Amino acid sequence: MVDWEIRRASAADVEAVAQLRAVVLRADLERLGRYDEHRVRQRLRDGFAPAHTWVIEAGGAFAGCVSLRPAEDAHWLEHFYLARHLQGGGIGAAVLRGLLEQCDRDGTPVRLNVLQGSPARRLYERHGFTLETEDPVDVFMVREPAVPAGVPDAP
């Protein structure tokens, strides 16, 4: 696996993240007839929250990002993008595992949505996400917190 690290995002990261989103989602959005070169970037800009976002760097260079946004009944995993040349090498799984461990300690469910037909869905399923609902474009998934080892189930 490539050497990588994760750091808190800043407002200055928004354009790099918007560009990566456009590249990573393009094939799936085109397949779904939903790709719009401007809109794919603007939606990220409109929803970018550095306080809940981390940047992934590999070999000292920008490589991806992920957001974990708190909501009333869960955290939302959002904007999880990794440069194509680094996908499948274990970085995404390691980042996801770390975030889920944090949510497990807090007892917080995690929700996300993934595009229909996206290979990312397999990653989420391997980490315990299950189908909650879906529509022609999006698949909404949830993962309940795992019970820490040695903790008895509640009655």
Side-chain angles (χ1 to χ4, degrees):
M1 184 177 357
V2 174
D3 286 338
W4 64 276
E5 60 186 24
I6 192 166
R7 65 166 172 82
R8 281 282 185 184
S10 73
D13 293 310
V14 69
E15 289 306 315
V17 173
Q19 177 59 27
L20 180 61
R21 179 180 198 268
V23 169
V24 171
L25 293 184
R26 185 173 188 144
D28 285 331
L29 288 171
E30 284 179 340
R31 179 179 40 77
L32 295 166
R34 308 280 293 197
Y35 185 77
D36 177 305
E37 190 169 329
H38 173 73
R39 186 170 185 253
V40 70
R41 290 172 178 83
Q42 193 59 46
R43 285 192 66 186
L44 181 284
R45 291 178 190 116
D46 292 345
F48 188 68
H52 305 297
T53 304
W54 292 267
V55 167
I56 303 161
E57 294 179 338
F62 176 82
C65 65
V66 63
S67 295
L68 191 63
R69 179 180 52 84
E72 188 174 314
D73 65 340
H75 285 324
W76 278 88
L77 183 73
E78 301 173 319
H79 309 303
F80 193 9
Y81 312 119
L82 189 62
R84 288 225 183 266
H85 71 280
L86 295 170
Q87 293 177 9
I91 296 173
V95 168
L96 182 57
R97 196 168 33 254
L99 292 173
L100 294 177
E101 287 170 0
Q102 172 189 330
C103 291
D104 288 347
R105 284 191 301 273
D106 297 342
T108 307
V110 179
R111 288 192 160 78
L112 60 82
N113 71 294
V114 62
L115 291 170
Q116 285 283 2
S118 171
R121 181 175 178 174
R122 291 189 304 275
L123 171 69
Y124 300 133
E125 289 171 339
R126 284 194 309 269
H127 285 85
F129 284 87
T130 58
L131 176 68
E132 194 166 35
T133 186
E134 61 186 317
D135 63 32
V137 175
D138 292 303
V139 176
F140 294 87
M141 304 180 81
V142 64
R143 180 188 177 272
E144 296 298 329
V147 177
V151 176
D153 290 337

